[in-house]
Amino acid sequence: MKKVKRLKGLFLVGMIMLIGATSLATIKTVSAATIVSETKNKKVVSYSKQELEKGTDVKFETDSIDKIYQLLKQTKTWGNLGENTENAQRIADRFEQSESQAIKILKNIVASDGLKLKVVFVNKPKYSTVSIGTLEQETTAKKNDSSTKKTIDKTLKAQVKAIDLKIEYKHKDIELEYDVKSNGLVKAKYQNEFTKEKLDGEKAQKIIENLFSGLDLKDSSKSDIKDHILMKLDEEKGVKKFEFKVKFSDKSKIEFEIE
């Protein structure tokens, strides 16, 4: 009888130790993401430099960018940062697929204390994607100093000189033109054969600017640009050819074609 009681006691001690170990393991996974915005089909989260350093256990420095990138390609890293298994895999895949963009983002974050990593989840019934970029971290100092610093104009017409887009489907097309003149006025044209819209002037300008809202053209990969535009148009399926060209106000440009 004493032997039975002793075995029961050892069993209880073992269970307590197991529960304690499980609790400790759970504590390692921290929810580091800050939710920036969330709708039915879209969720935007951000990670600060300090949060990413905790998740990767690597200090963000120029010499460590490649090591950080290799870690961010791993599902385990995003699990440590508090993402569920599915989202962790999706983010890791995006980093692996967009190496040049990811390296550029990490370099920018290393160079500036005011930048965060931005992750955008798009979830629609027949379409889902993840995109990455940067998000400026507004500090109290910046808020208080707004009267002495010039506000950066982040509107589309302040950043670009011209945009040309043509999307070919099996039977219909979508086309747009957006030109910013030297006097600041915009000449815009928009044609969508799905919705039977054929617009120019202010109506076309408004549609085009809304189409590119939330997209950092300079800091996005070709696939991210395409995915964002198709998601906004709600015409993701059946694309035969995607032709895109943008000229920025600093005279740089992006031009590509995806079939």
Side-chain angles (χ1 to χ4, degrees), residues 13-29:
V13 170
M15 288 297 294
I16 292 168
M17 290 178 68
L18 179 62
I19 293 169
T22 303
S23 299
L24 288 172
T26 304
I27 291 170
K28 288 183 180 180
T29 302

Side-chain angles (χ1 to χ4, degrees), residues 10-255:
L10 289 172
F11 176 75
L12 287 171
V13 170
M15 288 297 294
I16 292 168
M17 290 178 68
L18 179 62
I19 293 169
T22 303
S23 299
L24 288 172
T26 304
I27 291 170
K28 288 183 180 180
T29 302
V30 293
S31 181
T34 299
I35 298 176
V36 178
S37 64
E38 188 171 10
T39 63
K40 181 180 178 182
N41 297 319
K42 184 178 179 181
K43 181 179 179 181
V44 181
V45 301
S46 67
Y47 291 92
S48 69
K49 183 191 297 186
Q50 293 74 21
E51 290 163 347
L52 292 170
E53 285 179 338
K54 288 180 181 179
T56 59
D57 201 24
V58 178
K59 188 170 179 59
F60 266 52
E61 297 175 338
T62 303
D63 294 340
S64 62
I65 287 176
D66 185 63
K67 183 177 181 180
I68 295 166
Y69 171 68
Q70 296 301 325
L71 289 169
L72 294 179
K73 290 196 301 179
Q74 299 178 20
T75 305
K76 180 182 176 181
T77 301
W78 296 103
N80 291 340
L81 283 164
E83 297 290 348
N84 62 40
T85 304
E86 181 183 357
N87 284 346
Q89 184 65 62
R90 293 172 70 190
I91 303 173
D93 288 346
R94 171 52 64 192
F95 268 83
E96 185 166 11
Q97 294 161 8
S98 307
E99 181 174 353
S100 59
Q101 181 200 9
I103 294 294
K104 182 179 178 181
I105 288 171
L106 293 175
K107 285 181 178 178
N108 289 338
I109 293 174
V110 166
S112 174
D113 289 329
L115 283 184
K116 289 185 172 185
L117 172 67
K118 178 177 70 175
V119 180
V120 182
F121 298 94
V122 176
N123 299 298
K124 301 183 80 172
K126 296 182 180 180
Y127 175 77
S128 65
T129 188
V130 170
S131 62
I132 55 176
T134 56
L135 185 71
E136 188 172 0
Q137 179 177 321
E138 188 176 21
T139 63
T140 305
K142 284 185 178 179
K143 289 179 182 178
N144 295 336
D145 202 30
S146 59
S147 59
T148 59
K149 290 187 178 180
K150 185 179 179 181
T151 302
I152 298 172
D153 191 346
K154 294 186 178 181
T155 58
L156 185 65
K157 73 174 185 178
Q159 299 178 61
V160 306
K161 293 295 292 181
I163 297 176
D164 288 289
L165 171 67
K166 183 176 182 180
I167 310 171
E168 294 182 11
Y169 296 82
K170 188 173 182 179
H171 300 295
K172 298 179 181 180
D173 296 340
I174 297 175
E175 297 183 55
L176 65 83
E177 294 178 13
Y178 186 91
D179 294 294
V180 182
K181 303 302 179 182
S182 57
N183 60 4
L185 295 177
V186 175
K187 182 180 179 181
K189 292 182 180 180
Y190 176 80
Q191 183 174 347
N192 187 329
E193 293 181 352
F194 288 94
T195 59
K196 298 181 180 179
E197 292 174 289
K198 191 173 183 180
L199 307 170
D200 56 21
E202 290 185 5
K203 289 183 178 181
Q205 179 183 344
K206 186 176 180 180
I207 288 176
I208 295 169
E209 289 175 348
N210 180 63
L211 187 64
F212 287 92
S213 175
L215 176 65
D216 187 341
L217 284 169
K218 277 198 169 185
D219 208 21
S220 297
S221 65
K222 296 175 183 179
S223 60
D224 285 339
I225 292 172
K226 177 187 174 185
D227 290 345
H228 176 92
I229 292 172
L230 295 179
M231 184 268 294
K232 279 291 192 81
L233 289 169
D234 199 21
E235 294 292 348
E236 296 96 342
K237 301 297 182 180
V239 177
K240 292 179 65 179
K241 185 186 290 186
F242 186 97
E243 297 178 71
F244 181 78
K245 182 178 180 180
V246 57
K247 292 180 181 178
F248 296 99
S249 53
D250 63 3
K251 297 183 180 180
S252 62
K253 65 180 182 179
I254 298 173
E255 185 175 357

